[in-house]
Amino acid sequence: MKIGDSLLIFIYLVFFLILVKLSPFIISAVIIGFYFSIIIEVPAGFLSKKMNKAFSKVLSYIVILGLVTYAFVNFVPIVIAQGRIIFDTLSGLKINSNTVLPSWVLDFLNDLNRQVSGFALEVLNKVISYAPSFITMAVLIVVTTVAVGNLKGYIGINAEKLFLENPKKGKSFLKKFYKEFEKFVQGQVVVAAIVGILVGASCVILGIKGAFFLGVLSFITDFIPFLGVIITAVPMLMLGFSTKGLFGLILAAIILIGVNQVEAWILAPKIQSANLKIHWFVLIIVLLIFNDIFGLAGILIAIPTLLFVREYWNTYMFNK
């Protein structure tokens, strides 16, 4: 039985999704590397208008990968340092029994404080245990970004070998899909840059320390829908608390919620929905479904898979 290209592409897609399910950590690193190989092209394209094309590419690599390394390498030490400060503050806090509050209220508050301190220590231990994974992820992302960037040319030359029936049509399909994915990543660069600037500037204005780190981390993690804001929230809430106490914690939460809402209701719909010509609600539903099925890796592959399926339908189903 002869296998047509449409069936072959479907098999490729199923095989890829199985790999994502079986090896989410490695596939996530490769996908993030693929993202950043395109992200690098954005500043490189801008800089090439001002300077030598090869030099602009090298400079773009240094800047983007430098920011990735800076964010990941500093994440664990900052969280550990701030976690210790918070733990020491909470564990040393005891409400005086001479206050006018009833004894049962005092016991409740002191018990609550002990529980919160224990929770803070547990979170701190978790972060320490995950430290090697963060470092491995950072190294893997840098390596895969460079590798994927170099492999794109090789894949472009040999793409026709992936198809049996009509190699030229298959190569054209892959080019169209890549262009759509490139538009998505380029749009996300704009969104992420605005988010990073808003977070960093807000921290400077409100006096929360670590503004540059938090701005860079917001920019880098914004390429991971939903989970990115959680990753940024951990050190940001800690830095807010250690800078201004409970008031700083509230300020940090307001910044996170405010910027997240601006992105969700203004930036993403205006930039990404218009850019991809897909309704924003569809994008959100696809992200939620893939997250439910594949976890973190699902969040990373959701939009690329949607774009792949749309291009597959337009090329092999709609235009038979």
Side-chain angles (χ1 to χ4, degrees), residues 57-121:
K57 189 84 175 273
V58 172
L59 184 60
S60 184
Y61 262 98
I62 293 171
V63 171
I64 297 298
L65 295 182
L67 290 175
V68 172
T69 305
Y70 170 80
F72 275 90
V73 168
N74 283 280
F75 180 85
V76 174
I78 286 176
V79 169
I80 291 173
Q82 298 306 313
R84 283 174 177 162
I85 293 171
I86 293 169
F87 174 72
D88 291 341
T89 303
L90 291 175
S91 59
L93 184 65
K94 185 173 176 63
I95 299 173
N96 199 315
S97 57
N98 295 326
T99 60
V100 294
L101 293 172
S103 60
W104 67 269
V105 174
L106 293 175
D107 292 339
F108 171 77
L109 291 175
N110 285 320
D111 184 59
L112 179 63
N113 181 57
R114 283 193 296 271
Q115 290 185 26
V116 172
S117 300
F119 176 73
L121 184 61

Side-chain angles (χ1 to χ4, degrees), residues 9-55:
I9 292 169
F10 180 75
I11 292 171
Y12 289 151
L13 178 61
V14 171
F15 180 68
F16 172 73
L17 294 177
I18 291 172
L19 279 179
V20 173
K21 190 69 176 177
L22 295 177
S23 185
F25 182 82
I26 299 299
I27 297 299
S28 295
V30 172
I31 294 297
I32 293 173
F34 191 48
Y35 271 69
F36 279 101
S37 70
I38 298 175
I39 293 167
I40 286 167
E41 298 292 338
V42 177
F46 175 77
L47 292 171
S48 63
K49 299 174 183 177
K50 311 287 183 181
M51 58 182 72
N52 178 272
K53 189 174 181 180
F55 181 72

Side-chain angles (χ1 to χ4, degrees), residues 155-174:
I155 294 171
I157 295 171
N158 295 280
E160 292 184 7
K161 295 179 182 178
L162 294 169
F163 306 95
L164 302 174
E165 196 174 43
N166 191 337
K168 288 186 177 179
K169 183 179 180 180
K171 187 174 181 179
S172 174
F173 156 72
L174 288 179

Side-chain angles (χ1 to χ4, degrees), residues 188 191-192 194-196 198-199 202 218 221-233 236 251-269 284 287:
Q188 194 60 35
V191 173
I194 296 173
V195 167
L198 287 175
V199 169
S202 298
S218 298
T221 58
D222 198 68
F223 294 95
I224 310 173
F226 301 131
L227 188 62
V229 69
I230 297 173
I231 295 172
T232 304
M236 189 167 180
L251 288 177
I254 290 171
I255 293 171
L256 282 166
I257 295 169
V259 172
N260 182 255
Q261 293 304 304
V262 168
E263 179 183 8
W265 299 106
I266 300 175
L267 297 178
I284 291 173
L287 283 166

Side-chain angles (χ1 to χ4, degrees), residues 202-233:
S202 298
C203 289
V204 170
I205 293 168
L206 297 176
I208 295 175
K209 63 185 179 183
F212 179 75
F213 164 73
L214 293 171
V216 171
L217 185 65
S218 298
F219 169 72
I220 298 299
T221 58
D222 198 68
F223 294 95
I224 310 173
F226 301 131
L227 188 62
V229 69
I230 297 173
I231 295 172
T232 304

